C-alpha cells in the first residue's frame, strides 16, 4: 500500500507572530495540503502589553491568556514543550516536553517565532535577586510579592526593615518598565489606606534607566509628559543610571546610591530567544538575519519573524529592521503564513511591508500618553486610544469582554489586595521563570540528531 505523506509545517512559538501564522494557515490550507504542528510550553497566547495591569491587580491573569483550543475549527497538533535546538541540515527541531522528555520533530517547512527573553547583563546578583515582567507567572508573582512587602512592613517593629520593604526599584525606562512602575505605584498607593500603622510617605518607587530619555520612541514632548505624571505620583525617575550590583536587601546604583529594598524589577529590554543561537546562522544583534520575505537566505523552507528575527523595515526604507512590537509581530504572522503557502504551491513570495501605526502607553487610572498615526495625545483622550487599541488587538470576544469587565469592576469597586500564595516560599527570580539555560549548543543539536539517525533501524 502506498502512503502519501503530507508536507509538515512546524511553527515554533505561540506569541503574537506564531498564533497569527497558525490561524491563517488553518484558514487558507485544506486539511489534505499539509499537517500543521505548533510547539509551545503553554496552551494560550499571552497578551503581553497588559501584563503590568495583571501585576497591579486591575486585570485577572485569565483575562490576557487567550486559549489556543477555544476554536472548534482548530486542527493544529500542539506539542506541549519548548524548542531547544534546530538542525537546519537535517530539518529537525529538538523539543523538550513538559515532562522533560527530549524528542526530535521533523519538518518540511519551519516558522521560527520563539519570541524573546529578558535581556540581562553581567551585573553581580542581578539574576539571583531581580524579578522580570515577561511571563504571566512573573506578573502574578510580583503582585503577591508587593502586597507581602506591605504586610511584612506593617507587622515589623524595626524601622530599617520597614523602610526597606516599602522601597521598590524598577529598572528600564521603556514601555514595560514605565507601565510597570506606574501601575504598581497605584497599587501600593491604594493599598496603604488599609494599613493604618504604615506611613504612606515611606513608600518610595524608583524608576531608573541608563538612557538619557524616558521612552524616546514617543518623542521629547510625550516622553516629558509621562515623566511629569510619574513624578507627580511620587515616583523618582533617574535617567543615565543603572544597577551596579544587587543583593537580597539592597541595590547599588551606578551613581553610588545604595537603596535598601527587597524588590528589584528588571525590565531593561529583551533579546532574541536563545533558540536562534542553536541554528549557527547569521544574526543581527542576536536576531536571525532574514530577507524581506522573512525567509532565511540559503535555506529551503525556513522562515523567521517577530522578536527573534531581524526583518527589514521596507516601509521606512532606511535599512533598519522592524522593532520587536506586537503590532509588527501580528502582521508578520499573517504575511509569513501566506509565504509558506506560496512556497508550498510553488508561487512567488511577497515582502513584508507595514507602516507603524503609532504607540500607546497606559499609566493607569486617567493617565496615559499615546501617539496614534503621529498625533500626540495626553490624559483621557490618550487613555481612550490606548484601551481601544488593546481591545482591538485582543484576538477573541471572550477576552475583550473579560478585560472590559475587569476594568469596570476595578474602577467601581477597587481592589481587595489579596495575596494568592503563588509560588510562596519558592525561588521565583529571573532565572527561575524563563529557563534560558535549557537550550542546546549547535554542536549538541547536531550530535543528537546524527546519533539518533545512526541508531534508527
Amino acid at each position: 500500500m502506498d502512503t502519501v505523506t503530507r508536507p509538515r509545517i512546524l511553527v515554533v512559538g505561540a506569541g503574537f507572530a506564531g498564533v497569527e501564522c497558525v490561524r491563517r494557515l488553518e484558514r487558507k490550507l485544506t486539511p489534505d495540503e499539509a499537517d500543521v504542528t505548533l510547539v509551545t510550553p503553554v496552551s494560550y497566547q499571552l497578551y503581553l502589553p497588559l501584563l503590568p495591569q495583571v501585576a497591579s491587580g486591575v486585570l485577572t491573569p485569565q483575562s490576557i491568556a487567550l486559549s489556543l483550543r477555544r476554536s472548534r475549527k482548530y486542527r493544529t497538533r500542539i506539542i506541549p514543550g519548548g524548542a531547544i535546538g534546530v538542525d537546519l541540515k537535517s530539518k529537525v527541531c529538538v523539543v523538550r516536553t513538559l515532562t522533560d522528555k527530549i524528542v526530535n520533530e521533523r519538518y518540511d517547512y519551519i516558522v521560527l517565532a520563539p519570541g524573546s527573553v529578558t535581556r540581562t547583563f553581567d551585573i553581580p546578583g542581578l539574576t539571583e535577586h531581580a524579578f522580570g515582567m515577561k511571563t504571566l507567572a512573573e506578573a502574578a508573582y510580583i503582585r503577591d510579592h508587593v502586597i507581602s512587602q506591605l504586610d511584612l512592613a506593617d507587622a515589623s517593629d524595626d524601622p530599617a526593615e520597614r523602610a526597606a520593604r516599602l522601597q521598590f526599584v524598577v529598572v528600564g525606562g521603556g514601555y514595560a518598565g514605565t507601565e510597570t512602575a506606574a501601575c504598581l505605584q497605584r497599587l501600593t498607593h491604594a493599598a496603604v489606606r488599609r494599613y493604618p500603622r504604615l506611613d504612606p510617605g515611606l513608600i518610595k518607587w524608583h524608576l531608573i534607566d541608563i538612557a538619557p530619555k524616558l521612552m524616546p520612541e514617543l518623542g521629547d514632548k510625550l516622553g516629558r509628559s509621562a515623566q511629569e505624571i510619574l513624578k507627580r505620583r511620587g515616583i523618582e525617575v533617574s535617567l543615565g543610571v543603572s544597577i551596579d550590583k544587587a543583593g537580597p536587601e539592597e541595590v547599588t546604583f551606578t551613581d553610588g546610591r545604595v537603596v535598601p529594598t527587597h524588590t528589584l524589577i528588571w525590565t531593561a529590554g529583551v533579546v532574541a530567544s536563545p533558540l536562534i543561537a542553536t541554528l549557527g546562522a547569521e544574526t543581527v544583534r542576536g536576531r536571525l538575519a532574514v530577507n524581506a520575505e522573512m525567509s532565511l537566505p540559503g535555506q529551503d523552507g525556513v522562515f523567521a519573524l517577530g522578536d527573534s528575527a531581524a526583518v527589514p523595515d521596507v516601509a521606512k526604507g532606511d535599512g533598519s529592521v522592524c522593532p520587536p512590537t506586537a503590532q509588527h509581530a501580528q502582521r508578520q504572522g499573517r504575511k509569513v503564513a501566506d509565504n509558506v503557502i506560496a512556497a508550498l504551491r510553488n508561487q512567488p513570495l511577497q515582502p513584508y511591508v507595514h507602516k507603524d501605526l503609532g504607540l500607546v502607553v497606559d499609566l493607569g487610572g486617567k493617565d496615559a500618553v499615546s501617539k496614534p498615526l503621529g498625533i500626540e495625545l495626553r490624559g483621557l483622550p490618550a487613555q481612550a486610544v490606548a484601551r481601544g487599541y488593546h481591545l482591538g488587538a485582543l484576538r477573541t470576544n471572550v477576552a475583550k469582554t473579560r478585560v472590559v469587565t475587569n476594568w469596570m469592576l476595578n474602577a467601581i469597586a477597587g481592589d481587595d489586595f489579596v495575596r494568592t500564595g503563588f509560588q510562596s516560599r519558592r525561588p521565583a527570580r529571573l532565572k527561575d521563570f524563563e529557563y534560558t539555560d535549557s537550550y542546546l549548543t549547535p554542536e549538541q543539536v547536531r550530535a543528537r540528531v546524527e546519533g539518533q539517525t545512526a541508531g534508527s533501524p
Side-chain angles (χ1 to χ4, degrees):
M1 180 181 295
D2 293 332
T3 301
V4 178
T5 302
R6 290 185 292 269
R8 297 162 294 190
I9 301 174
L10 183 66
V11 180
V12 176
F16 290 103
V19 169
E20 285 296 320
C21 176
V22 167
R23 292 180 70 217
R24 199 169 185 92
L25 288 173
E26 287 188 324
R27 286 197 300 269
K28 289 198 165 189
L29 285 175
T30 66
D32 293 332
E33 278 191 278
D35 291 326
V36 181
T37 301
L38 176 64
V39 178
T40 172
V42 295
S43 60
Y44 59 82
Q45 175 196 356
L46 177 63
Y47 189 78
L48 270 168
L50 290 178
L51 265 186
Q53 295 193 33
V54 171
S56 63
V58 174
L59 299 176
T60 60
Q62 189 181 12
S63 302
I64 64 169
L66 287 67
S67 173
L68 297 177
R69 300 184 183 274
R70 192 168 187 88
S71 173
R72 294 179 181 178
K73 297 180 181 179
Y74 203 89
R75 66 173 190 268
T76 297
R77 171 184 170 231
I78 298 178
I79 299 178
I84 58 174
V86 177
D87 188 327
L88 297 177
K89 182 179 178 181
S90 300
K91 291 197 170 187
V92 171
C93 179
V94 182
V95 179
R96 186 190 302 274
T97 69
L98 294 185
T99 57
D100 281 333
K101 180 181 178 182
I102 298 180
V103 298
N104 288 359
E105 189 68 24
R106 297 191 176 277
Y107 63 84
D108 297 296
Y109 300 89
I110 187 169
V111 177
L112 296 168
S116 56
V117 296
T118 301
R119 177 181 63 183
T120 58
F121 300 97
D122 190 19
I123 299 174
L126 178 63
T127 58
E128 291 81 11
H129 303 295
F131 303 102
M133 184 62 77
K134 198 75 176 63
T135 68
L136 195 60
E138 285 175 311
Y141 184 88
I142 286 175
R143 171 176 165 79
D144 270 16
H145 172 80
V146 169
I147 295 174
S148 73
Q149 298 313 297
L150 298 177
D151 288 341
L152 291 167
D154 183 65
S156 176
D157 293 321
D158 182 351
E161 181 190 359
R162 179 175 291 189
R165 293 197 180 279
L166 296 179
Q167 289 209 75
F168 307 89
V169 178
V170 179
V171 183
Y175 304 108
T178 302
E179 289 186 340
T180 296
C183 290
L184 288 175
Q185 185 275 335
R186 282 179 57 85
L187 168 68
T188 55
H189 179 72
V192 76
R193 299 171 188 170
R194 313 283 181 90
Y195 296 84
R197 296 181 68 246
L198 292 182
D199 177 6
L202 289 177
I203 297 179
K204 296 180 181 178
W205 281 88
H206 302 265
L207 175 62
I208 70 173
D209 193 90
I210 196 65
K213 297 179 182 178
L214 197 67
M215 294 182 294
E217 298 90 343
L218 282 173
D220 291 342
K221 291 183 180 179
L222 284 184
R224 284 197 299 269
S225 294
Q227 191 168 337
E228 289 168 3
I229 290 170
L230 298 180
K231 287 184 176 181
R232 189 167 64 243
R233 291 191 191 172
I235 299 175
E236 183 177 330
V237 180
S238 301
L239 299 175
V241 178
S242 188
I243 296 295
D244 186 56
K245 61 181 178 179
E249 297 181 3
E250 67 177 27
V251 172
T252 303
F253 294 176
T254 52
D255 62 4
R257 282 181 290 166
V258 178
V259 177
T261 182
H262 293 258
T263 309
L264 171 61
I265 302 173
W266 181 267
T267 64
V270 296
V271 294
S273 166
L275 177 67
I276 298 303
T278 71
L279 275 68
E282 182 184 353
T283 59
V284 178
R285 295 184 178 180
R287 300 169 73 181
L288 192 63
V290 296
N291 54 31
E293 292 76 27
M294 292 174 286
S295 64
L296 184 61
Q299 296 290 337
D300 180 41
V302 180
F303 299 83
L305 66 163
D307 292 8
S308 286
V311 180
D313 196 338
V314 176
K316 283 188 176 181
D318 58 0
S320 62
V321 299
C322 296
T325 63
Q327 183 182 145
H328 280 290
Q330 284 181 308
R331 289 163 176 81
Q332 288 172 3
R334 293 192 284 269
K335 177 58 70 174
V336 86
D338 290 342
N339 282 342
V340 170
I341 294 170
L344 189 65
R345 297 172 179 173
N346 295 315
Q347 297 171 350
L349 309 186
Q350 299 298 319
Y352 170 74
V353 183
H354 171 65
K355 186 176 181 180
D356 203 303
L357 298 177
L359 307 164
V360 296
V361 182
D362 189 338
L363 299 175
K366 300 178 181 179
D367 294 324
V369 290
S370 301
K371 196 175 181 180
L373 302 174
I375 303 171
E376 296 187 350
L377 299 174
R378 300 168 180 79
L380 283 176
Q383 184 65 279
V385 170
R387 296 203 166 181
Y389 170 80
H390 291 314
L391 286 178
L394 286 166
R395 184 167 50 84
T396 68
N397 290 328
V398 172
K400 298 177 198 288
T401 303
R402 284 190 178 129
V403 167
V404 169
T405 302
N406 284 174
W407 280 338
M408 292 176 61
L409 186 61
N410 185 265
I412 296 170
D415 196 335
D416 287 327
F417 312 109
V418 173
R419 284 186 288 117
T420 64
F422 180 79
Q423 288 217 353
S424 179
R425 298 177 181 270
R426 294 182 182 180
R429 299 302 195 268
L430 276 172
K431 62 186 180 69
D432 301 306
F433 279 110
E434 298 189 35
Y435 307 106
T436 51
D437 57 350
S438 298
Y439 296 85
L440 305 178
T441 65
E443 294 75 23
Q444 288 173 325
V445 173
R446 192 68 194 152
R448 172 176 174 78
V449 172
E450 289 180 344
Q452 188 173 70
T453 301
S456 301

